[in-house]
Amino acid sequence: MALDISIFETIHPSRFLSFTIPNPDPSLSSPLIRIAILDSPLHPSTPSSSSLSAPNVAAMFVPKHRESDWLFSTESGHLQLLLSSPNIQRLILIGQQAIVDDPNSPSIYRRPIDSDCLNNLEMALKPLVIALSPKDYFKYGNLEVPILSYEDNVISSVVLEKCVGNFVGEMLVEDVEIESTNQKREFRRRLRFKRMPNLVQTEIRIVPRTVYCLDSVEIGGNDNVEFSPDLGVLVHVYLVPMVASLALVGSWMDERFQLGFRPKALCLGVGGGALVGFLKTQLDFQVVGVEADEEVLRVAQKYFGLEDGDFIQICVRDGMELMEKLARGDSYCEGAAHIDPQFDVIMVDLDSSDLSNGVSAPPLEFVRKDVLLAARSLLCESGIFVINVIPPSRLFYERLVHDFQEVFPELYEIDVGNGENFVLIAKTLPTASSISDCENNFLKKLRLAISGAYMESMKRI
């Protein structure tokens, strides 16, 4: 049945349609081109002269060899692309029809060297892009539909495993090589969820298990190079400021060590376990990690070096439920031993499963005073509460800050600087340092483990 182009004349919020057409460029490997049209879930504003500089329609061509990536092959991926493009109310995504992966062979991507074939496709499909644009778009002086480009730092990648968790749904583990600014090749292992295809849930550095000349190492190559997790460094951009927040209670931490105690951390949201492992191996913490999905933990133990044993205790449960349970005095968690409900630090890294307004953290249900009161009751006298925040709106962030300030006497903020994440740090009590920095062994250890820049960027709010 022929496609009725007239259905695209107006914007219909949240409408998603996809179809295939014959490939007009014989130089491409696929005989079909996939076209996907997504209209923003946000109601379009009335067009005005600002449309000249901020058009509300755009097209994007899928990077070659990335057609099967969830970011470009799923509706949720398209939504994230659209929401990350300000003022765009219709996104037209164009790419080769993804070839079904052979389940017996790894899914490998290598960045193409040239893009001539993509330029040819762009010219050939220009009339179709115009036909798929709302008719009102051209009433305000727009003569062309802008072409957005997708760029990231991935040079090559190989999927190690795809699996399904009861809570998070489909996920994958992949090894990637990324562009490096220090003249050295950089390899990472990533955990991604299909429901949030543009968000890397966990990322760690990996190194070849055998000594190689790095120039000869190739992700997914025929030489079958095996990589090991490097748990001594944090590469996920917001984890470093989360750990840097410990500087606020450096004196308390140092006193704990001097008395022969390991500081205790409760981590809600384990993922691949990068934060949990770092706190234990680099800062000598005793850690309780809470993760809702048992399959995520299996992946973390198999691929990311997560251990459940000495000084790391893993509990399979909803993090907020467990925190409230511990606050009521019930210290038992199924699948874990007795949990001592007193902590020096609580760290929260939980994202929302509602993607209608883009990626956000923490879940909306976390923004409740009773949850924060439960957290405060689990902290020791000089403890801190640390949370990763990706606010979906300014109003959400202001409400979260207000609720924290009603429960905790001091609140600090670190702007991660990526235009997305903020770290909030709440203190149970205003505390004065009793040990100078030059005498504080914990602060020395902390500065060796991470960059000190975020320690200086904390501001009280």
Side-chain angles (χ1 to χ4, degrees):
M1 185 174 66
L3 182 69
D4 182 5
I5 296 293
S6 66
I7 65 174
F8 300 110
E9 290 183 351
T10 57
I11 297 283
H12 291 272
S14 296
R15 179 174 61 181
F16 175 77
L17 294 170
S18 67
F19 56 91
T20 57
I21 61 172
N23 192 341
D25 187 349
S27 67
L28 298 178
S29 57
S30 174
L32 296 175
I33 294 296
R34 177 179 178 269
I35 312 290
I37 298 96
L38 177 65
D39 288 347
S40 172
L42 307 176
H43 288 277
S45 57
T46 303
S48 64
S49 59
S50 64
S51 298
L52 294 172
S53 57
N56 58 5
V57 179
M60 179 182 291
F61 284 80
V62 177
K64 190 177 180 181
H65 306 314
R66 297 285 290 273
E67 295 85 7
S68 62
D69 190 301
W70 287 334
L71 185 58
F72 304 106
S73 63
T74 66
E75 182 176 353
S76 57
H78 297 175
L79 177 61
Q80 296 308 308
L81 289 171
L82 185 147
L83 293 176
S84 63
S85 306
N87 303 316
I88 300 299
Q89 287 147 356
R90 172 170 294 171
L91 180 64
I92 304 168
L93 201 66
I94 303 168
Q96 296 184 71
Q97 177 73 12
I99 300 173
V100 178
D101 294 334
D102 180 350
N104 297 316
S105 64
S107 177
I108 300 173
Y109 161 76
R110 289 188 177 85
R111 182 188 291 173
I113 297 175
D114 63 76
S115 58
D116 288 345
C117 57
L118 195 59
N119 294 333
N120 294 338
L121 185 63
E122 182 179 322
M123 292 301 297
L125 295 181
K126 185 175 179 180
L128 177 61
V129 170
I130 292 175
L132 295 175
S133 301
K135 62 180 181 180
D136 287 345
Y137 172 71
F138 299 100
K139 289 182 178 180
Y140 297 90
N142 298 298
L143 303 177
E144 298 275 350
V145 175
I147 305 297
L148 305 180
S149 61
Y150 180 85
E151 296 179 357
D152 60 18
N153 63 353
V154 175
I155 297 172
S156 61
S157 67
V158 59
V159 175
L160 304 180
E161 182 180 339
K162 287 185 178 181
C163 53
V164 179
N166 292 331
F167 183 77
V168 304
E170 292 185 62
M171 56 183 152
L172 64 80
V173 180
E174 62 182 357
D175 284 353
V176 302
E177 179 180 358
I178 64 170
E179 293 174 343
S180 176
T181 58
N182 60 9
Q183 305 294 316
K184 295 181 180 179
R185 298 182 69 188
E186 189 77 19
F187 303 99
R188 304 280 176 84
R189 182 162 293 164
R190 292 175 168 178
L191 173 64
R192 295 169 55 201
F193 297 161
K194 186 176 183 179
R195 63 184 172 90
M196 289 181 289
N198 72 325
L199 181 67
V200 178
Q201 296 291 330
T202 298
E203 183 172 24
I204 62 171
R205 179 182 293 171
I206 52 175
V207 294
R209 288 184 178 176
T210 307
V211 178
Y212 284 89
C213 171
L214 285 184
D215 289 341
S216 65
V217 174
E218 189 174 74
I219 289 286
N222 295 326
D223 48 6
N224 295 318
V225 176
E226 293 187 0
F227 292 88
S228 295
D230 178 3
L231 302 181
V233 61
L234 293 173
V235 296
H236 224 145
V237 63
Y238 65 87
L239 292 185
V240 176
M242 288 186 73
V243 173
S245 66
L246 296 171
L248 279 177
V249 286
S251 296
W252 169 253
M253 296 297 177
D254 199 72
E255 290 169 5
R256 296 282 286 166
F257 279 115
Q258 288 186 21
L259 292 172
F261 297 103
R262 282 177 175 255
K264 291 177 54 186
L266 174 64
C267 294
L268 305 188
V270 174
L275 178 60
V276 169
F278 187 87
L279 290 174
K280 184 245 182 179
T281 60
Q282 301 302 306
L283 297 177
D284 297 317
F285 269 68
Q286 181 179 342
V287 187
V288 175
V290 186
E291 173 58 52
D293 199 310
E294 195 165 6
E295 183 69 0
V296 171
L297 293 177
R298 180 194 69 81
V299 166
Q301 290 167 344
K302 181 177 180 180
Y303 294 102
F304 293 86
L306 177 65
E307 298 176 350
D308 185 359
D310 292 342
F311 306 115
I312 292 183
Q313 188 177 355
I314 300 298
C315 183
V316 182
R317 194 180 179 95
D318 177 272
M320 287 183 290
E321 287 182 2
L322 177 66
M323 194 164 59
E324 292 176 320
K325 183 178 180 181
L326 292 174
R328 293 193 301 267
D330 186 348
S331 59
Y332 173 76
C333 176
E334 186 177 352
H338 169 83
I339 298 174
D340 183 1
Q342 278 292 297
F343 300 93
D344 299 286
V345 57
I346 297 175
M347 293 193 171
V348 178
D349 185 14
L350 299 172
D351 53 62
S352 173
S353 58
D354 180 8
L355 301 182
S356 58
N357 292 317
V359 177
S360 63
L364 185 61
E365 54 268 27
F366 201 96
V367 189
R368 300 198 323 255
K369 189 177 294 185
D370 59 319
V371 174
L372 300 181
L373 286 169
R376 179 169 177 173
S377 72
L378 298 180
L379 287 167
C380 65
E381 184 179 5
S382 297
I384 58 172
F385 184 93
V386 185
I387 185 168
N388 172 46
V389 183
I390 306 176
S393 67
R394 187 65 194 175
L395 181 62
F396 175 93
Y397 191 65
E398 290 173 351
R399 178 185 170 191
L400 184 62
V401 167
H402 175 267
D403 288 349
F404 264 93
Q405 290 174 326
E406 286 201 332
V407 174
F408 293 91
E410 285 188 4
L411 185 64
Y412 294 80
E413 174 194 77
I414 300 177
D415 184 344
V416 176
N418 62 349
E420 193 170 68
N421 297 75
F422 295 86
V423 173
L424 289 179
I425 310 107
K427 295 181 66 176
T428 52
L429 285 176
T431 53
S433 175
S434 59
I435 303 177
S436 66
D437 287 355
C438 63
E439 298 172 329
N440 193 316
N441 291 323
F442 176 77
L443 285 179
K444 292 176 184 177
K445 182 186 297 184
L446 185 61
R447 289 183 183 278
L448 285 174
I450 62 171
S451 167
Y454 285 115
M455 300 181 196
E456 281 74 44
S457 66
M458 271 184 283
K459 65 176 183 179
R460 186 171 177 180
I461 54 176

